[in-house]
Amino acid sequence: MLDSTEYRIPSMRHKVSPEEWQARVDLAAAYRLVDLYHMSDLIANHISVRVPGEDAFLINAYGMLYEEITASSLMKIDYDGNILLAPDFPGEKYGVNRAGFVIHSAIHKARHDLACVAHTHTWAGMAVSTLECGLLPNTQTSMRFAKISYHDFNGVVLDLSEQERLVHDLGDNNAMILRNHGLLTVGKTIPEAFNALHRLELSCKTQIAAMSCNSPMIKVAPEIVEKTYMNYQPHVRRPFGVLDWPALLRKLDRIDPSYRD
C-alpha cells in the first residue's frame, strides 16, 4: 500500500494536445471544487468534458476521491466506452464506472453543442428528487431552474437503452433532476456546468430548509417567476462562469495547486 507522499501519477502533459491539457486542468479543478463545496460522494459520480477536436471525453478513474483528482489522473474514453488513454497509476489499475459511462456518453454523443456534464448525489439533490412537487421556484436562485427537466427512475443506469431517454428528457435545458437519484447539469464550458450545479444545489438546500420549517411558504406570481427565469437565459446575460471561474481557480491554487499536475 502506497502512502500519500508516494502516490504520484506521472504527468500526461507531453502525451496530449495543449487544448486537451487545458481541458484536463479545468476538469480536475471542477472535481476539487465539487468536493470543496461538499457535493462529492466518495468515489461515486462524475464530471466529464469533451476532448477538443475528438470524439472522446475525459472522466474520473473509478476509485479516486474527488480531492485526489489531477489533470493527469483523468481517463480518456470514446463514446463506446473504450479507454483511449489511461494514467499510469502507482500500484493500482482503475477503470471507468459503467453508470458514469452510460449517462455521460449519451449526452456527449448526442449534444455536440455541449462540452461538460456534471452529476451528483448530494443529500439535498436526492431529497428534492424524491418529491412529487420537484424543485419549487421559491427563491430567486431556484427560479433560474423554473423549467428544469426531469428523468424518471428506472434503476441504476447500466443499460445503453436508457441513453435515448436521458437525452430526450434533458431536451434543451442545462439542468435535469434524475428522480429518486440526483442532479445533473450541462454546459458549453466547464465553468458554465459548474456554475449551474452550484446554484442548483443551493436551490435544493434552500427548498428543503424552507419545507422543514413546517410553515406556509410565500408563493411568487407565475408572471414574476417567468420574468425572473428569463433574466437567467443566455441571450440576456454573459455566459455563466466567466467571472467566477478565475476566482475559483485562485482559491484552489491557494489551498492546493496539485490539481494542475
Side-chain angles (χ1 to χ4, degrees):
M1 178 66 70
L2 299 173
D3 64 33
S4 58
T5 60
E6 297 174 309
Y7 200 85
R8 293 290 183 269
I9 297 170
S11 176
M12 301 271 267
R13 188 166 191 167
H14 64 290
K15 296 183 178 182
V16 303
S17 68
E19 294 79 13
E20 179 177 333
W21 182 251
Q22 186 59 55
R24 285 174 170 271
V25 171
D26 284 333
L27 183 56
Y31 276 103
R32 297 291 185 99
L33 288 166
V34 165
D35 187 69
L36 182 64
Y37 287 99
H38 308 292
M39 294 186 285
S40 60
D41 181 15
L42 299 181
I43 63 170
N45 299 148
H46 315 276
I47 316 168
S48 63
V49 68
R50 185 186 305 280
V51 177
E54 298 185 34
D55 289 333
F57 61 97
L58 303 172
I59 197 167
N60 53 321
Y62 193 48
M64 295 191 72
L65 297 173
Y66 279 27
E67 67 186 43
E68 298 180 296
I69 291 176
T70 65
S72 296
S73 74
L74 296 161
M75 310 281 278
K76 179 157 74 169
I77 65 175
D78 64 19
Y79 300 149
D80 295 319
N82 300 306
I83 296 175
L84 304 179
L85 185 60
D88 182 14
F89 295 108
E92 306 283 359
K93 188 173 181 179
Y94 294 132
V96 175
N97 176 259
R98 172 71 180 180
F101 154 68
V102 172
I103 294 172
H104 290 250
S105 66
I107 298 171
H108 285 299
K109 183 165 53 177
R111 294 290 303 277
H112 289 266
D113 57 315
L114 300 173
C116 183
V117 182
H119 170 47
T120 60
H121 289 170
T122 63
W123 67 263
M126 288 192 291
V128 171
S129 79
T130 69
L131 300 175
E132 285 189 5
C133 65
L135 184 67
L136 300 175
N138 64 329
T139 64
Q140 175 179 294
T141 300
S142 64
M143 290 176 204
R144 170 177 169 179
F145 306 102
K147 298 181 182 180
I148 195 169
S149 297
Y150 291 90
H151 177 73
D152 288 337
F153 186 68
N154 195 38
V156 179
V157 187
L158 301 176
D159 196 327
L160 291 175
S161 64
E162 189 84 358
Q163 291 188 314
E164 185 177 350
R165 197 161 63 90
L166 277 163
V167 173
H168 174 270
D169 290 344
L170 176 62
D172 295 328
N173 276 332
N174 72 337
M176 180 163 67
I177 292 178
L178 307 178
R179 291 197 182 276
N180 307 99
H181 187 173
L183 307 178
L184 183 144
T185 63
V186 297
K188 294 180 179 179
T189 64
I190 292 171
E192 198 172 277
F194 177 78
N195 183 281
L197 183 66
H198 182 272
R199 297 300 194 276
L200 181 56
E201 172 70 8
L202 182 59
S203 299
C204 290
K205 283 182 175 178
T206 53
Q207 177 172 325
I208 295 301
M211 294 178 77
S212 299
C213 293
N214 196 30
S215 180
M217 288 187 286
I218 298 170
K219 292 183 179 180
V220 179
E223 60 271 21
I224 300 299
V225 172
E226 176 68 16
K227 178 181 178 181
T228 306
Y229 169 80
M230 292 306 299
N231 285 336
Y232 284 111
Q233 299 315 296
H235 63 281
V236 297
R237 53 166 296 126
R238 72 176 70 87
F240 287 105
V242 169
L243 292 180
D244 48 314
W245 191 251
L248 288 167
L249 294 186
R250 292 194 298 270
K251 183 180 183 70
L252 285 180
D253 287 337
R254 289 193 297 271
I255 297 171
D256 178 5
S258 66
Y259 70 93
R260 295 181 178 274
D261 295 344

